[in-house]
Amino acid sequence: MSTPNLYLPLMDLSSTDRASVAQSIRQACMDHGFFYVINHGIDDDTVSSLFSESKKFFDLPLSEKMKLERSKDLRGYTPPYAETLDPSSKFKGDLKESFDIGPTNDSLNQWPSKESLPAWRVTMESYREKIMNIGFRLISLIALALHLDENFFTKIGALDSPMGFLRLLHYPGEIPESDMGKYGASAHSDFVMITILVTDGVPGLQICREKDRSPQLWEDVHHVEGALIVNIGDMMERWTNCTFRSTLHRVVAVGQERYSTAFFLDPNYEFVVECLETCCSETSPPRFPPIKCGDYLKERIRLAYSQ
């Protein structure tokens, strides 16, 4: 079952009252695990170029896209039906197609040829740099929200050569009768520290705040013009001893083509994630042992893709 619209809190990145914004982020991360960000500095032209180039790639014939099929290092193209994000789903094969880009100048990245899409790579790398900077600003506010120094995550080395992946997503419009009931992206939570999402405004995103509730209640996340959508990932939930919530979400088919781009931000591969001091006590001891970021992600990815 679902309700009409869930109005998530808006965080103004241009606000000079950082303490107030941090407190609002804290409440949002405890209540929803999701919030909007406005006045973030990414202009409409940048977003328009991003989606224009994304559409150019997804409009290519499947045979051309498959030449850049996603590698074992998770860079490149994933066709429709190749993933089922919810392993318990009775429907196998989510409707979306995607393209993953790793850190800038990463030799493992795959790129369309300059002949076919001359502006594609520079557009993606430019957007990635901008969204990474927003990620750093958000992590600073999240540190304050956790009652830590605003530079805490920088000081402990978590943001030294961080892992940042860009995922371009395309959801189909009209779907054949044989695909009725399937999801654009089935229910899942993100593995990461935080996710920053930009969409083209087409609806479909839903969240489930109480994943153990039966039946689950799915709420529609409505579009806010010019806003980014931020959500907490499983790694941040682990880091905060479940103080902050990594929330189930999915994308339903609405009969319209939909484009979005997600940016997944994580610490560097060798960084050890362990319970933050402000998130545990004698009555609330750490629930998870320390683990290297890379080892955690590798295991989560292995489980996800072995289904």
Side-chain angles (χ1 to χ4, degrees), residues 40-67:
H40 41 70
I42 294 184
D43 57 50
D44 292 345
D45 287 345
T46 296
V47 175
S48 178
S49 296
L50 173 70
F51 285 133
S52 175
E53 292 299 318
S54 178
K55 185 177 188 304
K56 288 176 185 177
F57 174 80
F58 289 122
D59 280 348
L60 292 174
L62 180 61
S63 58
E64 288 298 306
K65 292 182 285 191
M66 289 301 289
K67 291 177 182 177

Side-chain angles (χ1 to χ4, degrees), residues 10-201:
L10 281 85
M11 309 304 165
D12 187 346
L13 274 195
S14 69
S15 173
T16 56
D17 189 353
R18 289 173 58 78
S20 177
V21 174
Q23 181 55 40
S24 296
I25 287 176
R26 180 179 179 86
Q27 196 63 50
C29 291
M30 293 171 67
D31 291 347
H32 311 93
F34 271 75
F35 55 89
Y36 299 111
V37 171
I38 58 173
N39 296 325
H40 41 70
I42 294 184
D43 57 50
D44 292 345
D45 287 345
T46 296
V47 175
S48 178
S49 296
L50 173 70
F51 285 133
S52 175
E53 292 299 318
S54 178
K55 185 177 188 304
K56 288 176 185 177
F57 174 80
F58 289 122
D59 280 348
L60 292 174
L62 180 61
S63 58
E64 288 298 306
K65 292 182 285 191
M66 289 301 289
K67 291 177 182 177
L68 299 171
E69 186 177 8
R70 187 174 64 186
S71 66
K72 61 180 176 59
D73 299 298
L74 306 182
R75 274 81 161 173
Y77 174 68
T78 302
Y81 313 110
E83 279 186 339
T84 307
L85 293 176
D86 178 3
S88 69
S89 174
K90 64 180 180 180
F91 302 107
K92 296 305 175 186
D94 292 346
L95 301 174
K96 65 176 172 56
E97 56 181 336
S98 61
F99 194 98
D100 291 295
I101 304 167
T104 303
N105 298 323
D106 188 332
S107 62
L108 298 173
N109 281 329
Q110 303 191 68
W111 303 102
S113 69
K114 284 188 177 181
E115 290 73 27
S116 62
L117 297 173
W120 206 85
R121 179 171 179 173
V122 69
T123 300
M124 299 308 160
E125 290 187 331
S126 173
Y127 179 76
R128 186 188 178 283
E129 181 179 356
K130 292 174 181 177
I131 205 72
M132 175 72 88
N133 288 334
I134 290 172
F136 287 169
R137 293 165 67 190
L138 285 169
I139 293 301
S140 175
L141 287 164
I142 286 172
L144 289 176
L146 291 165
H147 304 147
L148 299 164
D149 180 89
E150 63 180 344
N151 297 316
F152 173 80
F153 290 104
T154 301
K155 289 177 178 177
I156 62 173
L159 300 181
D160 294 346
S161 302
M163 288 187 282
F165 272 74
L166 204 61
R167 170 170 281 195
L168 313 179
L169 292 150
H170 171 233
Y171 300 89
E174 293 185 18
I175 58 174
E177 190 172 335
S178 59
D179 283 338
M180 290 298 179
K182 287 188 176 182
Y183 295 102
S186 52
H188 65 285
S189 57
D190 297 336
F191 305 158
V192 298
M193 192 177 185
I194 62 169
T195 301
I196 308 173
L197 181 75
V198 61
T199 80
D200 64 356

